[in-house]
Amino acid sequence: MKHKSLATRIGDTDIRLLRIFKTVVESGGLSAAEIELNIGKSTISKHISDLELRLDLKLCNRGPSGFSLTEDGGKVLRAAEDLLISVSHFRTEVNEIKQQMAGTIRVALFDQCASNPESHLARAIHKFNEAAPAVQIELSLEPPNVIETMVISGHLDVGIIALHRPSASLQYAPLYGENMFLYCGKEHPLFDVSDSEFGKGDLRRFNYAGLSVNSPNLIVGQQLGFRRAAKVQSEQALAILILSGRYLGFLPDHLAQEFVDGGVMKRVLPDEIRYRTRFAAATRKQPAPTRVSKLFLDVLMQEHSVNREGEIKRVSTAKR
């Protein structure tokens, strides 16, 4: 008798196999997934074979030549990701009904806020974990456009992004800011030149590296007429280009400080060229945030309340 495929009925075992499959793909192969899954390679291989049998599809190539997804495997992976997110949402909603703080909260941010004295994200996470110890936190770094898309689609619960181009699909809670300056590396022609010997216009003849996504960084670079000769999606990558000595670029002062102190980077025309970026926690308007997300937002806003008041005062002073 012909067996029924997984596509007709899905149980806990099937979801577990799909999670294993997803982890193997994210790890880059069976051997690399052993530590993450805490099971042996032979057992992982059997789980993948069981999944392929239940789906009646070949999902991946594995052997001496390495690990790779088949075309069908790629399609199943995308479907599995959507399914696992739906399962997570279901569990969260059930916990909502039962008034339990459990499940998973997915948070992504763009800026390197660990060194930002204005950011109290680490303290907020501490307070959140104290209040909801059963909730698992998934924290990642993503480009701002990716964060917006993932929050709107429901793949993220909270995104921390620059507050410069609000989306009608999102609501924002202002948190903290950072000061941005233009930098060059030690081997750049301007490194040993006094700022008094050149002006803004002279900078346009040098290569400029900037973010490739819509952001304050992109807008300011365009306003100054800089020639973008390299583009990146993260500030760490931008720092590497600046350190090469071949590019000018904007970095947060807290991120660049260690390089400045080490004598391998310096600010360029800091009295004339600088800007400030404000960051906010973004959530989608519909459906309304879950109790877990609301708690996380409340803790975030509470921890940054002093910063927000200071930001409001600065903005009001600037307008006068």
Side-chain angles (χ1 to χ4, degrees):
M1 185 174 73
K2 188 175 181 180
H3 71 277
K4 292 184 177 180
S5 69
L6 171 64
T8 60
R9 50 191 176 88
I10 298 175
D12 288 344
T13 299
D14 307 314
I15 292 174
R16 179 171 177 268
L17 292 177
L18 288 170
R19 290 188 189 279
I20 291 173
F21 172 58
K22 180 173 178 288
T23 300
V24 170
V25 175
E26 291 174 344
S27 301
L30 277 66
S31 297
E34 286 183 289
I35 296 177
E36 181 69 23
L37 293 170
N38 197 29
I39 54 178
K41 181 179 176 181
S42 60
T43 304
I44 297 174
S45 180
K46 183 179 184 306
H47 287 322
I48 297 297
S49 296
D50 290 344
L51 181 60
E52 289 178 325
L53 179 63
R54 294 178 70 80
L55 287 171
D56 195 21
L57 291 170
K58 182 174 177 58
L59 301 177
C60 54
N61 302 305
R62 49 196 188 278
S65 59
F67 176 87
S68 63
L69 278 179
T70 64
E71 183 178 353
D72 288 337
K75 293 177 181 178
V76 169
L77 175 64
R78 291 189 289 273
E81 289 173 338
D82 290 339
L83 173 63
L84 294 174
I85 287 172
S86 296
V87 170
S88 177
H89 283 167
F90 172 78
R91 288 174 175 166
T92 299
E93 288 180 11
V94 170
N95 287 325
E96 288 277 304
I97 296 170
K98 296 169 67 177
Q99 296 294 297
Q100 293 181 356
M101 285 292 183
T104 301
I105 183 166
R106 294 149 305 180
V107 182
L109 56 150
F110 168 69
D111 71 316
Q112 308 292 326
C113 69
S115 57
N116 187 349
E118 295 188 30
S119 170
H120 299 166
L121 178 59
R123 184 61 186 168
I125 290 174
H126 178 96
K127 291 284 188 67
F128 175 78
N129 183 252
E130 282 185 333
V135 177
Q136 182 180 13
I137 298 178
E138 293 182 3
L139 185 64
S140 62
L141 286 172
E142 306 289 348
N145 58 324
V146 173
I147 292 176
E148 285 185 333
T149 300
M150 292 180 71
V151 172
I152 291 171
S153 68
H155 286 70
L156 283 174
D157 299 299
V158 180
I160 299 177
I161 54 178
L163 186 58
H164 82 288
R165 187 198 57 174
S167 167
S169 301
L170 299 173
Q171 53 189 5
Y172 302 85
L175 298 176
Y176 57 86
E178 65 183 7
N179 298 313
M180 306 290 294
F181 292 90
L182 189 67
Y183 292 89
C184 70
K186 186 175 182 179
E187 296 185 56
H188 194 275
L190 293 177
F191 190 82
D192 293 318
V193 179
S194 170
D195 286 349
S196 62
E197 297 181 36
F198 61 90
K200 282 185 183 180
D202 298 314
L203 301 178
R204 294 172 186 155
R205 60 189 176 91
F206 295 104
N207 288 337
Y208 170 73
L211 297 180
S212 59
V213 296
N214 197 319
S215 62
N217 178 282
L218 179 64
I219 294 172
V220 172
Q222 291 174 341
Q223 289 174 341
L224 291 169
F226 288 164
R227 183 181 73 247
R228 192 173 67 181
K231 55 186 179 180
V232 299
Q233 291 196 356
S234 76
E235 289 175 339
Q236 290 290 355
L238 188 52
I240 291 172
L241 290 177
I242 295 170
L243 288 169
S244 75
R246 301 295 298 174
Y247 302 90
L248 298 172
F250 285 100
L251 286 176
D253 55 358
H254 58 88
L255 177 60
Q257 193 59 49
E258 64 172 306
F259 302 117
V260 173
D261 292 342
V264 294
M265 194 181 284
K266 83 161 189 175
R267 293 179 183 176
V268 177
L269 297 179
D271 294 331
E272 299 179 55
I273 302 178
R274 58 189 296 175
Y275 67 93
R276 183 168 174 81
T277 301
R278 293 183 297 145
F279 289 88
T283 54
R284 59 178 177 170
K285 292 182 177 179
Q286 296 295 333
T290 64
R291 288 177 65 246
V292 170
S293 296
K294 286 178 181 176
L295 174 62
F296 187 81
L297 281 171
D298 287 345
V299 174
L300 263 181
M301 294 175 68
Q302 184 179 34
E303 288 299 310
H304 291 90
S305 61
V306 175
N307 274 7
R308 290 203 313 278
E309 290 171 5
E311 189 69 35
I312 291 171
K313 289 178 182 177
R314 278 191 291 272
V315 171
S316 298
T317 302
K319 286 182 178 179
R320 288 198 297 270

